[in-house]
Amino acid sequence: MNAVQPTPSQTVGPFFGYALPYDQGPDLVAEGHPGAITVAGRVLDGAGEPVPDAMLELWLGETGTRRALDRTGEGVSGFGRCPTGADGSYRFRTARPAGPYLAMLVFARGLLRSVATRVYLQDGPDPLLDTLDPARRATLVAEPVGEGTYRFDVRLQGEGETVFLEF
Amino acid sequence: MTHPPYLSPAYRSSVLRAPSRPPVVLRADPDAVELTGPVFGHDEVGELDADLTRHHAGEPIGERIIVTGRILDAAGRPVPHTLIEVWQANAAGRYAHQRDQHPAPLDPNFTGAGRCVTDEQGRYRFVSIKPGAYPWRNHHNAWRPAHIHFSVFGTAFTQRLVTQMYFPGDPLFPFDPIMQSIPDPAARERLVAHFDLDVTEPEWALGYRFDVVLGRTPTEEP
Ligand SMILES: [Fe+2]
């Protein structure tokens, strides 16, 4: 029997905005980084309304050489954090991940526990995608909307609800 | 059941934000990116970041406290060198956040945001002031019990945890839909810090102990 029990989650609440976001948090690479891409979109609730008090985190799989918090150093950071704006929008500048997807966590007022999802930059054979019906599968595939720019909306609930993951 | 269900109607904001479908359970893929997590350098965090009473020229108003503990994995092993971020209201129950409209005074000497990286034994330590309870509009006469928000990373993205630490003996516990969203009373109790006279410093500050236990990663044995 384990001597320890896990600590329960609680919501990030509405008032994290002065504490958790940090300078260049959404920029996993510096401006002008060769091959940089933009992943942007909106977080929407079950009524289709924007969620203005959410925070997203992105993880590429390697810590990298550009540091996560103070953003000094060259190259790529594996971690980014972006709060949503009044219109529910967010925007990351990142390098392409080694694999087909980026890992994403979403926190918000009203979410008692964060939700985990993946941003696939292209559709293709994949152990997760292949288990999903086409409509559900489509919620995990970012839409290319221009040179190096991908659109990925997170729908927390209802029609087109994003596929969330548990590990 | 450790965590609250996403849908907890007494917490009104959850009603339109809780996913309606159960998450897809992923267990098999040892190459999953989520089994790793970011490493934060000790030198990325300032020495004073963990002392929330020293972020301004003067001292904040309120009851000075020390909050310390360990970050553990699901097997009870310490998690060293992991980032912890905290944020909280001031002693009057007001956040230094633009959208906090509670008509209680801001404290020019208190912002209420701090961070640190755990040591070799998974230990952390913050100095702060005890936050006040504050009202919110969830229901008539709704008040949040005093709490400190915690954000913890661990070694895998799957362990990422945001939670809230409460103070022992708070009469607001039974009336708080956020704390009560956790179905198991024993699990709720794990969010309540312990007063500790050994952490308390004479003539200086009250001491509280709060350990955080992260979830099992898919590669650990159940
Ligand atoms: Fe709070």
Side-chain angles (χ1 to χ4, degrees):
Chain A
M1 202 184 104
N2 277 346
V4 295
Q5 296 290 329
T7 303
S9 171
Q10 295 271 266
T11 179
V12 75
F15 298 139
F16 59 84
Y18 75 95
L20 294 182
Y22 57 93
D23 192 33
Q24 299 182 67
D27 302 332
L28 288 77
V29 295
E31 199 171 355
H33 183 86
I37 59 168
T38 297
V39 176
R42 290 200 300 164
V43 180
L44 302 165
D45 71 11
E49 295 294 324
V51 176
D53 43 14
M55 182 180 86
L56 297 91
E57 289 182 349
L58 215 54
W59 170 237
L60 265 55
E62 283 174 59
T63 293
T65 49
R66 175 170 157 90
R67 301 210 301 185
L69 292 178
D70 62 21
R71 295 307 196 196
T72 56
E74 294 294 313
V76 180
S77 173
F79 176 77
R81 175 183 281 171
C82 185
T84 54
D87 58 354
S89 67
Y90 73 90
R91 172 178 297 264
F92 287 103
R93 181 169 63 226
T94 178
R96 285 180 189 278
Y101 63 89
L102 310 103
M104 179 182 269
L105 288 174
V106 183
F107 304 83
R109 174 175 68 84
L111 276 182
L112 285 158
R113 187 183 181 190
S114 58
V115 286
T117 188
R118 285 180 176 177
V119 182
Y120 282 83
L121 296 181
Q122 66 270 311
D123 204 343
D126 178 83
L128 166 63
L129 293 181
D130 293 345
T131 64
L132 304 170
D133 71 51
R136 296 269 287 157
R137 178 183 189 118
T139 71
L140 296 185
V141 182
E143 178 195 357
V145 289
E147 190 64 29
T149 301
Y150 294 84
R151 182 183 178 86
F152 185 82
D153 288 340
V154 177
R155 290 182 173 78
L156 291 175
Q157 184 192 90
E159 199 180 327
E161 183 173 311
T162 303
V163 169
F164 298 115
L165 307 173
E166 188 171 289
F167 293 88
Chain B
M1 180 73 197
T2 292
H3 298 292
Y6 286 108
L7 181 61
S8 190
Y11 173 34
R12 275 189 3 211
S13 302
S14 76
V15 173
L16 276 175
R17 294 183 173 187
S20 62
R21 305 182 63 139
V24 172
V25 179
L26 269 184
R27 294 231 187 274
D29 184 3
D31 297 324
V33 158
E34 294 86 350
L35 301 186
T36 57
V39 176
F40 300 96
H42 283 266
D43 57 344
E44 288 190 80
V45 172
E47 218 160 284
L48 285 182
D49 287 5
D51 188 341
L52 285 71
T53 67
R54 294 173 69 190
H55 293 174
H56 298 274
E59 282 222 74
I61 299 288
E63 192 179 299
R64 204 178 287 116
I65 59 172
I66 295 160
V67 179
T68 186
R70 290 189 305 161
I71 308 300
L72 304 169
D73 70 13
R77 292 173 297 226
V79 182
H81 316 305
T82 194
L83 179 69
I84 307 177
E85 297 158 290
V86 294
W87 69 104
Q88 62 167 92
N90 68 21
R94 176 88 184 261
Y95 282 90
H97 187 281
Q98 275 185 350
R99 290 184 33 238
D100 185 357
Q101 300 298 314
H102 178 33
L106 285 167
D107 183 341
N109 290 314
F110 193 72
T111 303
R115 57 190 186 179
C116 73
V117 174
T118 56
D119 70 8
E120 210 62 58
Q121 279 84 47
R123 290 179 301 215
Y124 72 89
R125 184 177 187 272
F126 290 103
V127 177
S128 189
I129 52 99
K130 190 176 178 191
Y134 60 85
W136 58 315
R137 302 222 166 115
N138 186 72
H139 56 275
H140 174 66
N141 213 5
W143 293 80
R144 295 295 330 280
H147 59 274
I148 298 177
H149 295 268
F150 269 69
S151 158
V152 183
F153 277 79
T155 54
F157 217 42
T158 59
Q159 289 179 312
R160 186 84 177 86
L161 179 73
V162 167
T163 190
Q164 303 181 23
M165 184 207 94
Y166 300 94
F167 290 84
D170 196 316
L172 292 169
F173 290 160
F175 309 108
D176 180 38
I178 292 183
M179 189 195 204
Q180 297 299 325
S181 68
I182 301 161
D184 174 10
R188 287 202 288 274
E189 206 51 45
R190 297 202 286 276
L191 292 184
V192 183
H194 294 274
F195 173 71
D196 190 331
L197 201 58
D198 293 330
V199 175
T200 299
E201 294 193 0
E203 323 296 328
W204 182 249
L206 293 179
Y208 292 90
R209 201 171 275 287
F210 179 61
D211 290 341
V212 174
V213 180
L214 302 175
R216 195 177 59 80
T217 59
T219 49
E220 287 175 69
E221 291 301 313

